[in-house]
Amino acid sequence: MQDEKLYGRRDGAVGHVVFNNPAKLNAVSLDMWDRLLDILKDFEADSTVRCVVVSGAGGKAFVSGADISKFESERANAEAQERYNAISGRGYEALYDFSKPTIAKITGYCIGGGMNLAACCDLRFCNEGARFGVPAARLGLGYGLLRIERLATIVGLPRATEMLFTARQFSSAEALDIGLVHRVAGDAELDAVVAEATGQIAQNAPLTIALAKAAAREIAKPDQHRDHARLERMTQACFDSQDYAEGRRAFMEKRKPVFQGK
């Protein structure tokens, strides 16, 4: 598993997706995007997995973007670029639409495709040495509406345009200030910060969390495209669930509830 450029593993209720290409600062190639789809599908089907942490191996980078050394073979012309966008797009959307909470654990560089990946996660925690940027303007790459919209939803349109226009790198302190990340921690503390968040998520009611995430995704859509009926069904399912009864009993008995997601 450690030899794979992208692998998944489980740690109790937490699934981990690890980009494991440290020699290239965890740059992503097409085969890695295909592997991501398989890993997320497995975690989606596993009811014991309550949340997923996405990280990069080696400590120097979360994901530094696309593997530029493969541009000639994977993105050399319009047809190849279209194919690359389709495959990588499926990976981004699978992470964005994943029904369980996702956390980007960012160490070092989070550049280009790494920014897209982090923007698809629900929460973002980083170490003090993390660096963020979108270098598309330095490479002549087209940066599409969806990616800009997601970044702007997180940091605001003025900050997003600054990142795109200047192509400069932002420090972890700047990322926290503009709302790109939720918390910054020292190298020795980052794992504990992430573990605290995953532990809190894992002990809470899965159906309630799934509803909250689904609602957040619907809010990001224009109102005329929002699936209000689906959210109403999910809301009712919470009240009809065994977990709701368990939550009430645990409250009255002054103990921690044990939720099953049903």
Side-chain angles (χ1 to χ4, degrees):
M1 178 167 57
Q2 300 296 325
D3 294 331
E4 297 181 80
K5 288 185 178 180
L6 180 66
Y7 66 87
R9 63 178 177 84
R10 267 198 52 192
D11 182 10
V14 183
H16 290 266
V17 175
V18 182
F19 286 79
N20 186 36
N21 191 15
K24 294 184 177 180
L25 298 179
N26 298 319
V28 188
S29 54
L30 286 179
D31 57 323
M32 294 167 71
W33 287 119
D34 283 333
R35 179 67 180 134
L36 177 62
L37 294 175
D38 293 336
I39 294 170
L40 291 177
K41 184 177 180 180
D42 289 343
F43 286 156
E44 186 77 69
D46 188 345
S47 62
T48 65
V49 172
R50 298 292 181 85
C51 59
V52 167
V53 175
V54 182
S55 63
K60 292 184 178 180
F62 171 62
V63 170
S64 60
D67 188 345
I68 296 177
S69 69
K70 291 184 176 292
F71 272 24
E72 286 302 312
S73 60
E74 295 182 349
R75 307 173 73 173
N77 52 51
E79 183 179 351
Q81 180 66 41
E82 184 176 352
R83 178 173 178 270
Y84 183 92
N85 287 343
I87 294 174
S88 62
R90 286 196 293 271
Y92 289 129
E93 294 311 296
L95 182 60
Y96 182 77
D97 291 329
F98 190 72
S99 68
K100 304 170 187 180
T102 53
I103 297 174
K105 187 182 79 170
I106 300 164
T107 55
Y109 292 104
C110 180
I111 305 296
M115 286 282 289
N116 294 333
L117 201 72
C120 289
C121 292
D122 301 301
L123 304 176
R124 288 163 294 279
F125 301 148
C126 74
N127 68 341
E128 292 171 342
R131 304 285 295 182
F132 302 84
V134 183
R138 291 182 179 172
L139 296 169
L141 295 175
Y143 215 69
L145 173 62
L146 183 59
R147 296 177 183 182
I148 295 174
E149 182 180 44
R150 282 187 185 155
L151 179 59
T153 297
I154 296 168
V155 303
L157 187 56
R159 290 295 193 183
T161 51
E162 179 188 4
M163 298 184 85
L164 290 158
F165 289 174
T166 66
R168 76 174 179 89
Q169 293 182 9
F170 285 61
S171 69
S172 60
E174 289 177 297
L176 181 64
D177 181 60
I178 65 177
L180 180 58
V181 298
H182 295 78
R183 291 186 64 179
V184 178
D187 291 344
E189 292 80 37
L190 183 58
D191 282 344
V193 168
V194 174
E196 179 184 22
T198 58
Q200 291 169 338
I201 292 169
Q203 71 181 1
N204 288 332
L207 295 180
T208 303
I209 291 174
L211 170 60
K213 178 159 185 175
R217 292 297 183 260
E218 293 299 323
I219 288 169
K221 301 175 184 177
D223 186 63
Q224 65 270 27
H225 296 305
R226 293 176 185 171
D227 192 343
H228 296 276
R230 175 177 176 244
L231 297 181
E232 286 296 328
R233 291 194 298 271
M234 294 180 73
T235 301
Q236 189 57 49
C238 289
F239 287 111
D240 293 340
S241 70
Q242 297 176 23
D243 280 353
Y244 179 48
E246 165 63 9
R248 298 197 315 274
R249 284 194 301 267
F251 179 82
M252 297 302 296
E253 296 168 7
K254 295 180 172 55
R255 60 174 174 83
K256 289 184 177 181
V258 179
F259 295 118
Q260 302 296 324
K262 56 185 180 180

